[in-house]
Amino acid sequence: MKVLCKPDVRNLHYPSWSIKDLQTSLKQSIDALSNKVPQEVKAHLKVSQNLAVYGWFQWEFYTVSLAWSLTSIEMALIRKFLETYNGQQFTIVKKGKTKTVIVDYKIFRELRKGWRIQDKPNLNGSFKSLIEWAKNENMFQGTPIVLQELSILLQNNKRCGDIRSSCPLDLIPDLRNRLIHMKQNLIFPPRSAIDGFEQAVQVINRLWP
């Protein structure tokens, strides 16, 4: 237990940095979360906050926290989609076949099987397609320019490979996928976890203004 409670020595390379600073930065972000955000999304973000704090004791948790923050955005988009169309009937199509479904979580199972919503053919249930849906619905109007930091973070880290998009929102699934399906050992510092958490809160707030 004593070993687990020792700060990771990599944190000690920043003499002006403390676990209190880390907790303060994260608290400022979570306190800015809209009261309209559903409880399940808040709980998901809380895990990301805790993971970042654990990074003080194990450096790699900062990267895990960043990945979880980005996944929180995906979860929020799914929740917003279901909230927007709750109980409505959609006609879905696949290879000439059609059927009618009531909108609930099961619709994402159908989308993964190759079915498509008749008037939303580009929505396949993926993180990237959900971002496109929200953009088309003007849900990200006024998103803070701080999201530019996400593209800078990716472009400055050569280990991440080529970037397929110049739009910060479009970069979120790319980074999330690279963190979760690691082909390389991507390890990010505390600032990345803090910024990722802050950006997740800001994007999610746009879904529930």
Side-chain angles (χ1 to χ4, degrees):
M1 184 61 71
K2 288 182 179 179
V3 173
L4 290 174
C5 293
K6 281 186 177 181
D8 189 302
V9 293
R10 286 167 285 190
N11 284 299
L12 304 181
H13 294 161
Y14 303 89
S16 61
W17 179 252
S18 70
I19 189 171
K20 185 176 180 180
D21 297 324
L22 175 62
Q23 290 173 313
T24 299
S25 296
L26 295 165
K27 186 177 184 302
Q28 288 173 347
S29 292
I30 200 70
D31 285 349
L33 191 65
S34 169
N35 290 331
K36 297 178 182 179
V37 174
Q39 188 58 42
E40 62 189 284
V41 178
K42 291 179 182 178
H44 206 269
L45 279 167
K46 187 68 178 178
V47 173
S48 180
Q49 181 183 9
N50 290 339
L51 286 167
V53 174
Y54 299 155
W56 183 256
F57 305 101
Q58 183 63 49
W59 186 268
E60 286 77 8
F61 274 119
Y62 292 131
T63 302
V64 179
S65 172
L66 173 58
W68 197 269
S69 290
L70 301 181
T71 302
S72 296
I73 297 173
E74 181 179 24
M75 179 190 185
L77 284 164
I78 292 172
R79 183 69 173 75
K80 185 63 177 182
F81 180 87
L82 295 174
E83 180 183 290
T84 301
Y85 301 109
N86 182 44
Q88 294 185 31
Q89 288 188 340
F90 277 167
T91 298
I92 58 176
V93 298
K94 179 183 178 182
K95 296 180 180 179
K97 299 178 180 179
T98 65
K99 62 181 180 179
T100 301
V101 296
I102 303 295
V103 176
D104 59 16
Y105 278 104
K106 294 178 184 176
I107 195 170
F108 285 93
R109 187 187 309 162
E110 301 293 345
L111 293 174
R112 293 188 195 100
K113 291 178 180 177
W115 289 88
R116 294 293 177 264
I117 299 170
Q118 197 166 52
D119 62 345
K120 305 179 193 304
N122 295 324
L123 183 66
N124 60 16
S126 70
F127 193 176
K128 194 175 285 286
S129 71
L130 283 164
I131 284 181
E132 284 303 311
W133 165 75
K135 285 164 59 180
N136 291 337
E137 297 293 325
N138 296 317
M139 292 184 182
F140 291 133
Q141 290 287 341
T143 299
I145 212 68
V146 70
L147 282 172
Q148 293 289 345
E149 294 179 12
L150 190 62
S151 60
I152 293 170
L153 180 150
L154 275 164
Q155 291 163 353
N156 286 350
N157 194 314
K158 295 179 181 178
R159 292 173 297 173
C160 284
D162 295 331
I163 302 305
R164 293 177 293 172
S165 170
S166 60
C167 174
L169 283 168
D170 294 338
L171 288 170
I172 293 174
D174 287 334
L175 178 56
R176 192 286 308 269
N177 290 340
R178 288 170 185 176
L179 290 173
I180 292 177
H181 308 292
M182 283 190 181
K183 293 183 180 179
Q184 298 163 307
N185 191 24
L186 302 179
I187 303 298
F188 289 98
R191 190 74 253 170
S192 296
I194 293 170
D195 287 348
F197 187 71
E198 179 184 3
Q199 290 161 10
V201 168
Q202 291 171 345
V203 171
I204 290 169
N205 276 344
R206 296 294 165 180
L207 299 176
W208 285 277

